[in-house]
């Protein structure tokens, strides 16, 4: 998934993540030294929900940022697992 890869790259190149929900999804900007390093919109609702829970008031910085960065592989597995679970749930509802 390209969005997960982009988040990982952003975490490695910045110190702060800003996010805001909009009509297209979750708009994310990675910031380092006052400059935006990368900016994109996450359209996957599972990923957007998980990422928005990592910060407060649209900001992930300091200890929260470092925790997300250092535990990113677990975060990624959590998102992928939740997505598979939702697809299985939809498939079982369609069969019923």
């Amino acid at each position: 998934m390209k969005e997960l890869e982009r988040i990982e790259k952003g975490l490695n190149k910045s110190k702060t993540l800003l996010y805001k929900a909009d009509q297209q999804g979750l708009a994310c900007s990675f910031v380092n030294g006052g400059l935006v390093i990368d900016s994109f919109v996450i359209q996957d609702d599972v990923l957007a929900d998980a990422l928005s829970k990592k910060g407060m008031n649209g900001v992930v910085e300091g200890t929260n940022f470092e925790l997300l960065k250092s535990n990113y592989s677990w975060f990624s597995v959590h998102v992928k697992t939740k997505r598979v679970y939702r697809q299985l749930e939809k498939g079982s509802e369609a069969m019923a």
Side-chain angles (χ1 to χ4, degrees):
M1 171 176 203
K2 293 199 183 274
E3 292 172 331
L4 282 171
E5 291 173 12
R6 212 155 166 195
I7 291 170
E8 184 175 23
K9 287 178 185 177
L11 289 170
N12 290 325
K13 294 181 179 181
S14 65
K15 301 284 184 203
T16 304
L17 167 62
L18 305 175
Y19 61 87
K20 180 179 179 183
D22 67 13
Q23 294 175 350
Q24 295 177 341
L26 188 69
C28 297
S29 296
F30 286 95
V31 180
N32 190 11
L35 299 173
V36 174
I37 304 299
D38 192 13
S39 186
F40 58 97
V41 176
I42 296 173
Q43 296 178 341
D44 180 63
D45 60 333
V46 173
L47 178 56
D49 183 54
L51 192 59
S52 66
K53 291 179 180 176
K54 295 297 178 183
M56 293 184 67
N57 300 322
V59 180
V60 181
E61 62 183 347
T63 306
N64 289 339
F65 186 88
E66 291 302 320
L67 282 171
L68 177 59
K69 183 177 177 178
S70 64
N71 295 320
Y72 186 74
S73 60
W74 287 107
F75 174 80
S76 178
V77 168
H78 168 77
V79 169
K80 291 174 183 177
T81 303
K82 196 164 188 174
R83 185 177 304 122
V84 168
Y85 179 74
R86 281 196 181 172
Q87 286 185 351
L88 290 173
E89 220 174 29
K90 288 179 185 177
S92 67
E93 289 174 2
M95 296 180 93

